[in-house]
Each structure stands twice: as structure tokens, then as C-alpha cells.
């Protein structure tokens, strides 16, 4: 959610002094809007270079540093993570996707003039991964859907402020107010103190003759769910016009005849939307109202229980509840077809399992709508993936997943990527999902041996070093100039395809209740290091591999993973 222009208006110094007051956070409790905090931290960390596919060590370090400081200040946090986006938010989600598409396109075409930030695939997962490390002072709550109202309700239940960067919290009836995560309002000090400013709605309401007129802001300016046909006006214009009015009816006398019924309807909707009652964590988790796409309640099922534990991917839950899947906007070469297309066969395995949750047409065919960027990189494309009755019947239905043995679940994973289960047994558990992803990627993306080895070496260095892997970039290494100048965007696309495959396998593994451990991108992938390896001459690259095999002890997985890919490619040929 978000009210266009309201944060900018509130952050003007003259308004801050009126509507905010100093607040000591040390030893207090906060409710955090998880994804708002996650993405705001990335946007404020300007040094993170995303254009080569993702500097995941930097991302994880950014999150870890933030929560370490909260812990040192004695702050206890409830962190709420958004769930399935409501379908009524489709227009806003499309706008955000197109905006991210534009930023990626500009960044990749002009990487040395990078002006914007962008979060790579699985940034939210890494955020949640970090939260688990702070279990002594952080409780994580996975909301069913759009979480803003639940966040406000929790804050009032636990008598504490909300920390986020979302203008909707200026309007919610928060008893202890809202602390915007902005450098001017949330500053780290020495001696474990945080200098914060607490926004209080009652102070802002004093600017209105009738305090209830505050709801004109979302009613006219618009948020993600409330719209005006002709578009809203600015907050500043609205604030000037309402100051002369002492009631809604008086305000409406200054509007056109066409606007009046719409504003009145939006006003009533806004009053209901932004007025919340206190709710505890336990109440929130037990009162799910989600249904499957064909109308069956999810309350009491293993599906919603696993999701609330953080074990089921939100993208899978969206397919179960809405029958559609908005595929991620990848950091990719904008002049090639979207890298997400590579994983459709794995996704079909997911769709077959969740088929009992999907509606069917008169012929017994079930469909899942996939949404992704188009080939010209200027809009979104939609395709329905069809599932016949016979292929759904041949698949294990979702209700039977909890009863399956781990070996059977792993067999389903292997079948999805066409791997013999017996061949997977050569790998330690932590490398099995990676092996499956490499097998599928090598067959469908057809990477060169150099790129396969570069990716596996990147995995090895990120796994072994335990710190920022870019420190191992030796700029004295011999560079193949032609390779460095011509093919980096092509390589970016090929590696984006691997990330998509690994993400799809992650989703399937989560649907099967995680029979295999998942190594996150934070411990596997670094775009800058990987691209460095692709530019090395053959001699320099082979020397780097030998060094890590001898000094880093990665022999046990490097050669087996490479041979696994080679076997795949030879069969394809």
C-alpha cells in the first residue's frame, strides 16, 4: 500500500516539527513491516551493485548489521512479512513490475552510469534467513496477504510503534505512532542509542477543522486500492482546499457533480480501511480467511500451517489461492527473451501437484496464468499453462504430501528435472538441489564448459570463504579482452536462467515440505565474482580452479557437479 506524495509532504521540515516528537527506542518493542524494511534498507545502501546479477553477501550483511544494532539497543521486534497480494492490487503490481523492468533495462544497457537500486531474486528470502539468526529478539509472522492492517493491529495490541517506510501508516489509528525508516528520522548513535522521530496521527489531525477529514487524503490522492477515474491531486493542493471546510458535506460543495459520489464512496472505504482493532500474533495466525482458487478453505490445512512456519514459498501459495503466478522480474539482458521461461517444465510439476486446488473448465482442463516480461522488454506477457485431467491424475496430489516418505519426495524432485534418483546419491544433501538445478540448466540453456565451471567455482568460493567473496578477485589475472567486452550481457542472461531454475526447484522443494536443505543465494552467488571468472583467459581460469581445489578443499563437489552437467549435455547432443 502507499498514498502517492504523502511521505514527501510529511517529510518537509515544517510538517515534521508539528506531527513528530523525539522517541527513545532503547529497550522498546517494535512491529516492523518486513518487506518495507527489507527493500528500504537495500535502497539506502547505495554501494550495493546489482547490475551483474546480485551482490548477495552485501545484501545479507546489510540486513545482519541492521538487526545486530537493534539487538544491541535491547529492542524486541515483531517482523511481519506480506503474503499473497490481493487481486485488486493487480494494477499497482503491474506498474511496479514495469518500473523494475525499466530500471533493469537502463542499468544493464549502461552499467557504468548506474543511477538506481534494484533488489535481485530472493532478496526477501535472504531477509527472512537473517531474521532466523535473531530468534532471541525477533519474532517473524507470515501474513496471509497484504500485511499493513495486520501490522497496525499488532502494534496496537503490543502497545508499540510501527517501523516502516510506507505512507499508509500516517493514516492508520496507531496508538503509539509510526517511525519512518528515513535517515532524518531514524539515526544510529553511539552507546547503543537510536535517535528516532515518532509520528502521531492526533498531531496531524489538528491541521483539520474536522479530524475525520484526514480520510480525504486516501479518498482523493489514492492508494493501491482506492482510485479516482481522473487521477488524484497533490497532497499539498488537498490540504489547502480542506482547511476552509469544517465537514465532509461542506468540502463536497466545492467538487464537481461527477466527483461527489466517487469521493463519498472512497471516503467511507478509507475510514473502514484505516481503522483497525488490536490483534495478537496468535489470533492473526489462527484466523486465516484464504481459500484455494476453486473455493475450498485453507484454514486447518497443512498448506497454511507450513506457510505460517515460513516453509512454503509465497509464490506457490499464490498459485494455490489464485491460480496464477507472476514470475520474477530478473536482472537479465533486456534484448533476450525473459530468462524465467526456462523453468516452465519444473513449474508444471508444481501445478500438477496443486491441481486439486485449481478450478477446471467443462473439459476437465485446469489452467495456471503465468505473467512475465515480454520479449521486447516494454510490457508484460500472459500465458495460460494447461493441465489435462490425465496428467493431473498421474501426479501426487497436494493433500498426500505430508504422508510421503522423504525418499519419495526427492524422487518427485528428480522426476521434475529428469534425473535418475540413484545418480543424485553421489552428492551430500546440501548440494543435491544445486546438482538438480545445474543438470536442468545445462540441458536447456546450453552453457559452455567455461561458464559451467565459472558458476561452480563461484559456488565454491562463496561457500568456503565466509566473507565478502569479491576480495578474491585478483585484478592481475590475465583477461581475455574479446570475451570481456562482447559477451557479458549474454552471460548475464545464461546465469539468470540458472537462478530461475534454482528458484523453481526451491518452490517445488518447499511444496514438498523441504525434503532437501536449500543453500540460499547468499552462500552461493556473487555477480561480480562470477563475471570476473567469465572474463579470465583459459590459463588464468584453470589456475584459479586449481588453487581453490588445493587450498579450499572443494574437490568433493567441484568435479562431481561438473561431470553431472557434462553427462546432461552429452545426452542432449
Amino acid at each position: 500500500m502507499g498514498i502517492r506524495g504523502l511521505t514527501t509532504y510529511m517529510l518537509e521540515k515544517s510538517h515534521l516539527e508539528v506531527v513528530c516528537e523525539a522517541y527513545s527506542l532503547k529497550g522498546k518493542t517494535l512491529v516492523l513491516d518486513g518487506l518495507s524494511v527489507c527493500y528500504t534498507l537495500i535502497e539506502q545502501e547505495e554501494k550495493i551493485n546489482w547490475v551483474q546479477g546480485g551482490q548477495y553477501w552485501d545484501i545479507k550483511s546489510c540486513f545482519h548489521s541492521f538487526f545486530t544494532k537493534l539487538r544491541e539497543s535491547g529492542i524486541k521486534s515483531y517482523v511481519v512479512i506480506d503474503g499473497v497480494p490481493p487481486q485488486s492490487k493487480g494494477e499497482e503490481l503491474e506498474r511496479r513490475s514495469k518500473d523494475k523492468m525499466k530500471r533493469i533495462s537502463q542499468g544493464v544497457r549502461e552499467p557504468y552510469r548506474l543511477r538506481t537500486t534494484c533488489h535481485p531474486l530472493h532478496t526477501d528470502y535472504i531477509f527472512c534467513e537473517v531474521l532466523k539468526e535473531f530468534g532471541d529478539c525477533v519474532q517473524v509472522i507470515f501474513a496471509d496477504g497484504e500485511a499493513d492492517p495486520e501490522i497496525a493491529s499488532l502494534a496496537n495490541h503490543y502497545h508499540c510503534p510501527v517501523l516502516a517506510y510506507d505512507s499508509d501508516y500516517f493514516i492508520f489509528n496507531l496508538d503509539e505512532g509510526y517511525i519512518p525508516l528515513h535517515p532524518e528520522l531514524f539515526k544510529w548513535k553511539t552507546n547503543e542509542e537510536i535517535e528516532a522521530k515518532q509520528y502521531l496521527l492526533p498531531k496531524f489531525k489538528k491541521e483539520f477543522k474536522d479530524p475525520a477529514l484526514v480520510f480525504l487524503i486516501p479518498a482523493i490522492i489514492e492508494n493501491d486500492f482506492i482510485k479516482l477515474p481522473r487521477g488524484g491531486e497533490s497532497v499539498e493542493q488537498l490540504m489547502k482546499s480542506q482547511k476552509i471546510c469544517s465537514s465532509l458535506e461542506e468540502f463536497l460543495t466545492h467538487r464537481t457533480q461527477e466527483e461527489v459520489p466517487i469521493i463519498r464512496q472512497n471516503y467511507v472505504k478509507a475510514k473502514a480501511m484505516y481503522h483497525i482493532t488490536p490483534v495478537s500474533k496468535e489470533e492473526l495466525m489462527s484466523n486465516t480467511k484464504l481459500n484455494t482458487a476453486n473455493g475450498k478453505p485453507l484454514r486447518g490445512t497443512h498448506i497454511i500451517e507450513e506457510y505460517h512456519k515460513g516453509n512454503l514459498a509465497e509464490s506457490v501459495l499464490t498459485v494455490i489461492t489464485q491460480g496464477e503466478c507472476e514470475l520474477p522480474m530478473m536482472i537479465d539482458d533486456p534484448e533476450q527473451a525473459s530468462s524465467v521461461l526456462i523453468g516452465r517444465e519444473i513449474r508444471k510439476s508444481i501445478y500438477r501437484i496443486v491441481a486439486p486446488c485449481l478450478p477446471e473448465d467443462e473439459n476437465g482442463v485446469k489452467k495456471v496464468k503465468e505473467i512475465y516480461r515480454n520479449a521486447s522488454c516494454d510490457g508484460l506477457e500472459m500465458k495460460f499453462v494447461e493441465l489435462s485431467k490425465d496428467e493431473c491424475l498421474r501426479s501426487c496430489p497436494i493433500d498426500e504430501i505430508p504422508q510421503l516418505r522423504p525418499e519419495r519426495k526427492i524422487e518427485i524432485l528428480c522426476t521434475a528435472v529428469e534425473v535418475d534418483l540413484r545418480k543424485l546419491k553421489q552428492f551430500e544433501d546440501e548440494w543435491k538441489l544445486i546438482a538438480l538445478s545445474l543438470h536442468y540448466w545445462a540441458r536447456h540453456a546450453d552453457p559452455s564448459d567455461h561458464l559451467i565451471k565459472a558458476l561452480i567455482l563461484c559456488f565454491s568460493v562463496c561457500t568456503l570463504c565466509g566473507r565478502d567473496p569479491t576480495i578474491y578477485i585478483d585484478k592481475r589475472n590475465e583477461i581475455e579482452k574479446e570475451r570481456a567486452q562482447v559477451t557479458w550481457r549474454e552471460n548475464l542472461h545464461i546465469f539468470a536462467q540458472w537462478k530461475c531454475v534454482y528458484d523453481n526447484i526451491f518452490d517445488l522443494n518447499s511444496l514438498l515440505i523441504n525434503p532437501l536443505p536449500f543453500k540460499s543465494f547468499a552462500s552461493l552467488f556473487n555477480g561480480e565474482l562470477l563475471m570476473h571468472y567469465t572474463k579470465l583467459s583459459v590459463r588464468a581460469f584453470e589456475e584459479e580452479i586449481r588453487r581453490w581445489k588445493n587450498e579450499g578443499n572443494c574437490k568433493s563437489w567441484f568435479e562431481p557437479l561438473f561431470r553431472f552437467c557434462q553427462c546432461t549435455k552429452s545426452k542432449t547432443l
Side-chain angles (χ1 to χ4, degrees), residues 442-475:
R443 187 169 73 250
H444 292 272
D446 194 27
S448 67
D449 286 357
H450 187 103
L451 295 187
I452 294 171
K453 288 182 178 180
L455 187 56
I456 297 173
L457 184 58
C458 180
F459 296 163
S460 302
V461 176
C462 291
T463 295
L464 293 168
C465 72
R467 49 183 168 167
D468 182 0
T470 59
I471 65 172
Y472 294 103
I473 294 177
D474 189 345
K475 295 184 179 179

Short mmCIF file of all heavy atoms in Angstrom, two decimals, residues 442-475:
data_model
loop_
_atom_site.label_atom_id
_atom_site.label_comp_id
_atom_site.label_asym_id
_atom_site.label_seq_id
_atom_site.Cartn_x
_atom_site.Cartn_y
_atom_site.Cartn_z
N ALA A 442 21.99 -26.95 -17.59
CA ALA A 442 22.94 -27.33 -18.63
C ALA A 442 22.22 -27.90 -19.85
O ALA A 442 22.65 -27.69 -21.00
CB ALA A 442 23.94 -28.34 -18.08
N ARG A 443 21.13 -28.61 -19.62
CA ARG A 443 20.39 -29.22 -20.73
C ARG A 443 19.60 -28.18 -21.53
O ARG A 443 19.52 -28.26 -22.76
CB ARG A 443 19.45 -30.30 -20.21
CG ARG A 443 18.77 -31.11 -21.32
CD ARG A 443 18.05 -32.34 -20.80
NE ARG A 443 16.83 -32.01 -20.11
CZ ARG A 443 16.66 -32.13 -18.78
NH1 ARG A 443 17.64 -32.56 -18.03
NH2 ARG A 443 15.51 -31.80 -18.22
N HIS A 444 19.04 -27.18 -20.84
CA HIS A 444 18.12 -26.25 -21.51
C HIS A 444 18.77 -24.93 -21.92
O HIS A 444 18.30 -24.29 -22.87
CB HIS A 444 16.92 -25.97 -20.61
CG HIS A 444 16.02 -27.16 -20.43
ND1 HIS A 444 14.98 -27.44 -21.28
CD2 HIS A 444 16.03 -28.15 -19.50
CE1 HIS A 444 14.36 -28.55 -20.88
NE2 HIS A 444 14.98 -28.99 -19.80
N ALA A 445 19.81 -24.49 -21.20
CA ALA A 445 20.46 -23.22 -21.54
C ALA A 445 21.69 -23.41 -22.41
O ALA A 445 22.16 -22.46 -23.03
CB ALA A 445 20.84 -22.46 -20.26
N ASP A 446 22.23 -24.62 -22.42
CA ASP A 446 23.41 -24.98 -23.20
C ASP A 446 24.60 -24.04 -22.93
O ASP A 446 25.15 -23.45 -23.86
CB ASP A 446 23.08 -24.98 -24.69
CG ASP A 446 24.17 -25.66 -25.51
OD1 ASP A 446 24.86 -26.54 -24.96
OD2 ASP A 446 24.33 -25.31 -26.69
N PRO A 447 25.01 -23.89 -21.68
CA PRO A 447 26.17 -23.04 -21.37
C PRO A 447 27.47 -23.73 -21.79
O PRO A 447 27.53 -24.96 -21.88
CB PRO A 447 26.11 -22.92 -19.84
CG PRO A 447 25.45 -24.20 -19.41
CD PRO A 447 24.46 -24.54 -20.48
N SER A 448 28.50 -22.96 -22.05
CA SER A 448 29.81 -23.52 -22.37
C SER A 448 30.42 -24.15 -21.12
O SER A 448 30.01 -23.86 -19.99
CB SER A 448 30.74 -22.43 -22.90
OG SER A 448 31.03 -21.49 -21.86
N ASP A 449 31.43 -24.99 -21.31
CA ASP A 449 32.13 -25.58 -20.16
C ASP A 449 32.73 -24.50 -19.27
O ASP A 449 32.75 -24.64 -18.05
CB ASP A 449 33.24 -26.52 -20.65
CG ASP A 449 32.68 -27.83 -21.20
OD1 ASP A 449 31.44 -28.01 -21.14
OD2 ASP A 449 33.47 -28.65 -21.70
N HIS A 450 33.23 -23.43 -19.90
CA HIS A 450 33.82 -22.33 -19.12
C HIS A 450 32.78 -21.72 -18.18
O HIS A 450 33.07 -21.45 -17.01
CB HIS A 450 34.38 -21.26 -20.06
CG HIS A 450 35.14 -20.18 -19.36
ND1 HIS A 450 36.52 -20.11 -19.35
CD2 HIS A 450 34.73 -19.12 -18.61
CE1 HIS A 450 36.92 -19.07 -18.65
NE2 HIS A 450 35.84 -18.44 -18.20
N LEU A 451 31.56 -21.50 -18.68
CA LEU A 451 30.51 -20.90 -17.84
C LEU A 451 30.06 -21.85 -16.74
O LEU A 451 29.77 -21.41 -15.62
CB LEU A 451 29.32 -20.48 -18.70
CG LEU A 451 29.57 -19.37 -19.73
CD1 LEU A 451 28.26 -18.94 -20.38
CD2 LEU A 451 30.26 -18.17 -19.10
N ILE A 452 29.99 -23.14 -17.05
CA ILE A 452 29.61 -24.11 -16.02
C ILE A 452 30.64 -24.11 -14.90
O ILE A 452 30.30 -24.04 -13.71
CB ILE A 452 29.47 -25.52 -16.62
CG1 ILE A 452 28.31 -25.58 -17.61
CG2 ILE A 452 29.27 -26.56 -15.51
CD1 ILE A 452 28.24 -26.88 -18.41
N LYS A 453 31.91 -24.17 -15.28
CA LYS A 453 32.97 -24.17 -14.28
C LYS A 453 33.00 -22.86 -13.50
O LYS A 453 33.24 -22.85 -12.28
CB LYS A 453 34.32 -24.42 -14.95
CG LYS A 453 34.54 -25.83 -15.44
CD LYS A 453 35.93 -25.98 -16.06
CE LYS A 453 36.18 -27.40 -16.51
NZ LYS A 453 37.54 -27.55 -17.11
N ALA A 454 32.75 -21.74 -14.18
CA ALA A 454 32.74 -20.43 -13.50
C ALA A 454 31.65 -20.40 -12.43
O ALA A 454 31.88 -19.91 -11.31
CB ALA A 454 32.52 -19.31 -14.52
N LEU A 455 30.48 -20.92 -12.76
CA LEU A 455 29.38 -20.93 -11.80
C LEU A 455 29.70 -21.84 -10.61
O LEU A 455 29.48 -21.46 -9.45
CB LEU A 455 28.09 -21.37 -12.49
CG LEU A 455 26.80 -21.28 -11.67
CD1 LEU A 455 26.56 -19.88 -11.15
CD2 LEU A 455 25.60 -21.74 -12.51
N ILE A 456 30.23 -23.02 -10.87
CA ILE A 456 30.55 -23.95 -9.78
C ILE A 456 31.68 -23.39 -8.92
O ILE A 456 31.66 -23.52 -7.69
CB ILE A 456 30.93 -25.33 -10.34
CG1 ILE A 456 29.75 -25.94 -11.09
CG2 ILE A 456 31.37 -26.27 -9.22
CD1 ILE A 456 30.08 -27.23 -11.83
N LEU A 457 32.67 -22.72 -9.55
CA LEU A 457 33.74 -22.11 -8.76
C LEU A 457 33.19 -20.97 -7.90
O LEU A 457 33.60 -20.81 -6.75
CB LEU A 457 34.84 -21.59 -9.69
CG LEU A 457 36.07 -21.01 -8.99
CD1 LEU A 457 36.72 -22.03 -8.07
CD2 LEU A 457 37.08 -20.49 -10.01
N CYS A 458 32.25 -20.21 -8.45
CA CYS A 458 31.61 -19.15 -7.66
C CYS A 458 30.90 -19.76 -6.45
O CYS A 458 31.02 -19.24 -5.33
CB CYS A 458 30.62 -18.39 -8.54
SG CYS A 458 29.75 -17.06 -7.70
N PHE A 459 30.15 -20.86 -6.65
CA PHE A 459 29.52 -21.56 -5.53
C PHE A 459 30.57 -21.91 -4.47
O PHE A 459 30.35 -21.71 -3.26
CB PHE A 459 28.89 -22.88 -5.99
CG PHE A 459 27.74 -22.77 -6.95
CD1 PHE A 459 27.34 -23.88 -7.68
CD2 PHE A 459 27.07 -21.57 -7.14
CE1 PHE A 459 26.28 -23.80 -8.57
CE2 PHE A 459 26.01 -21.49 -8.02
CZ PHE A 459 25.62 -22.61 -8.75
N SER A 460 31.69 -22.45 -4.93
CA SER A 460 32.71 -22.96 -4.02
C SER A 460 33.32 -21.84 -3.19
O SER A 460 33.47 -21.96 -1.96
CB SER A 460 33.80 -23.68 -4.81
OG SER A 460 33.25 -24.73 -5.58
N VAL A 461 33.68 -20.74 -3.85
CA VAL A 461 34.31 -19.62 -3.14
C VAL A 461 33.34 -19.01 -2.14
O VAL A 461 33.70 -18.74 -0.99
CB VAL A 461 34.81 -18.57 -4.15
CG1 VAL A 461 35.38 -17.36 -3.41
CG2 VAL A 461 35.88 -19.17 -5.05
N CYS A 462 32.09 -18.79 -2.56
CA CYS A 462 31.09 -18.20 -1.66
C CYS A 462 30.82 -19.12 -0.47
O CYS A 462 30.61 -18.65 0.66
CB CYS A 462 29.78 -17.94 -2.41
SG CYS A 462 29.89 -16.63 -3.64
N THR A 463 30.83 -20.43 -0.70
CA THR A 463 30.59 -21.39 0.38
C THR A 463 31.75 -21.44 1.37
O THR A 463 31.54 -21.51 2.58
CB THR A 463 30.36 -22.80 -0.21
OG1 THR A 463 29.17 -22.79 -0.99
CG2 THR A 463 30.23 -23.85 0.89
N LEU A 464 32.97 -21.38 0.85
CA LEU A 464 34.14 -21.61 1.68
C LEU A 464 34.68 -20.38 2.39
O LEU A 464 35.24 -20.48 3.48
CB LEU A 464 35.26 -22.21 0.83
CG LEU A 464 35.01 -23.63 0.29
CD1 LEU A 464 36.05 -23.98 -0.77
CD2 LEU A 464 35.04 -24.65 1.42
N CYS A 465 34.51 -19.19 1.79
CA CYS A 465 35.26 -18.04 2.32
C CYS A 465 34.65 -17.44 3.57
O CYS A 465 35.36 -16.87 4.40
CB CYS A 465 35.44 -16.98 1.25
SG CYS A 465 33.94 -16.08 0.82
N GLY A 466 33.31 -17.51 3.74
CA GLY A 466 32.69 -16.97 4.94
C GLY A 466 32.77 -15.47 5.07
O GLY A 466 32.59 -14.90 6.16
N ARG A 467 33.06 -14.76 4.00
CA ARG A 467 33.10 -13.30 3.99
C ARG A 467 32.85 -12.81 2.57
O ARG A 467 32.51 -13.61 1.70
CB ARG A 467 34.44 -12.79 4.52
CG ARG A 467 35.66 -13.45 3.90
CD ARG A 467 36.93 -12.94 4.53
NE ARG A 467 38.07 -13.76 4.15
CZ ARG A 467 39.33 -13.40 4.36
NH1 ARG A 467 39.58 -12.25 4.96
NH2 ARG A 467 40.32 -14.19 4.00
N ASP A 468 33.03 -11.53 2.34
CA ASP A 468 32.76 -10.98 1.02
C ASP A 468 33.65 -11.66 -0.01
O ASP A 468 34.88 -11.49 -0.01
CB ASP A 468 33.02 -9.47 1.03
CG ASP A 468 32.71 -8.82 -0.31
OD1 ASP A 468 32.30 -9.53 -1.24
OD2 ASP A 468 32.88 -7.59 -0.41
N PRO A 469 33.07 -12.43 -0.94
CA PRO A 469 33.91 -13.19 -1.89
C PRO A 469 34.64 -12.32 -2.91
O PRO A 469 35.58 -12.80 -3.55
CB PRO A 469 32.91 -14.13 -2.56
CG PRO A 469 31.59 -13.48 -2.41
CD PRO A 469 31.64 -12.73 -1.11
N THR A 470 34.23 -11.07 -3.07
CA THR A 470 34.90 -10.23 -4.06
C THR A 470 36.34 -9.90 -3.66
O THR A 470 37.11 -9.42 -4.50
CB THR A 470 34.13 -8.93 -4.31
OG1 THR A 470 34.01 -8.20 -3.09
CG2 THR A 470 32.73 -9.21 -4.86
N ILE A 471 36.70 -10.16 -2.41
CA ILE A 471 38.10 -9.91 -2.01
C ILE A 471 39.05 -10.87 -2.72
O ILE A 471 40.26 -10.64 -2.75
CB ILE A 471 38.29 -10.03 -0.48
CG1 ILE A 471 38.02 -11.47 -0.01
CG2 ILE A 471 37.42 -9.04 0.26
CD1 ILE A 471 38.36 -11.71 1.44
N TYR A 472 38.49 -11.94 -3.31
CA TYR A 472 39.33 -12.91 -4.02
C TYR A 472 39.44 -12.60 -5.51
O TYR A 472 39.99 -13.40 -6.26
CB TYR A 472 38.77 -14.32 -3.82
CG TYR A 472 38.86 -14.77 -2.38
CD1 TYR A 472 37.73 -14.77 -1.57
CD2 TYR A 472 40.07 -15.16 -1.82
CE1 TYR A 472 37.81 -15.17 -0.24
CE2 TYR A 472 40.16 -15.55 -0.49
CZ TYR A 472 39.03 -15.55 0.29
OH TYR A 472 39.11 -15.93 1.60
N ILE A 473 38.92 -11.47 -5.92
CA ILE A 473 39.11 -11.06 -7.31
C ILE A 473 40.52 -10.49 -7.46
O ILE A 473 40.86 -9.47 -6.86
CB ILE A 473 38.06 -10.00 -7.73
CG1 ILE A 473 36.66 -10.62 -7.72
CG2 ILE A 473 38.40 -9.43 -9.10
CD1 ILE A 473 35.55 -9.64 -8.06
N ASP A 474 41.33 -11.17 -8.21
CA ASP A 474 42.71 -10.74 -8.45
C ASP A 474 42.76 -10.02 -9.80
O ASP A 474 42.71 -10.65 -10.86
CB ASP A 474 43.65 -11.94 -8.45
CG ASP A 474 45.11 -11.53 -8.48
OD1 ASP A 474 45.39 -10.34 -8.78
OD2 ASP A 474 45.98 -12.38 -8.21
N LYS A 475 42.84 -8.71 -9.76
CA LYS A 475 42.81 -7.93 -11.00
C LYS A 475 44.08 -8.05 -11.81
O LYS A 475 44.16 -7.54 -12.93
CB LYS A 475 42.51 -6.46 -10.67
CG LYS A 475 41.12 -6.28 -10.06
CD LYS A 475 40.77 -4.84 -9.81
CE LYS A 475 39.35 -4.74 -9.24
NZ LYS A 475 38.96 -3.35 -8.95
#
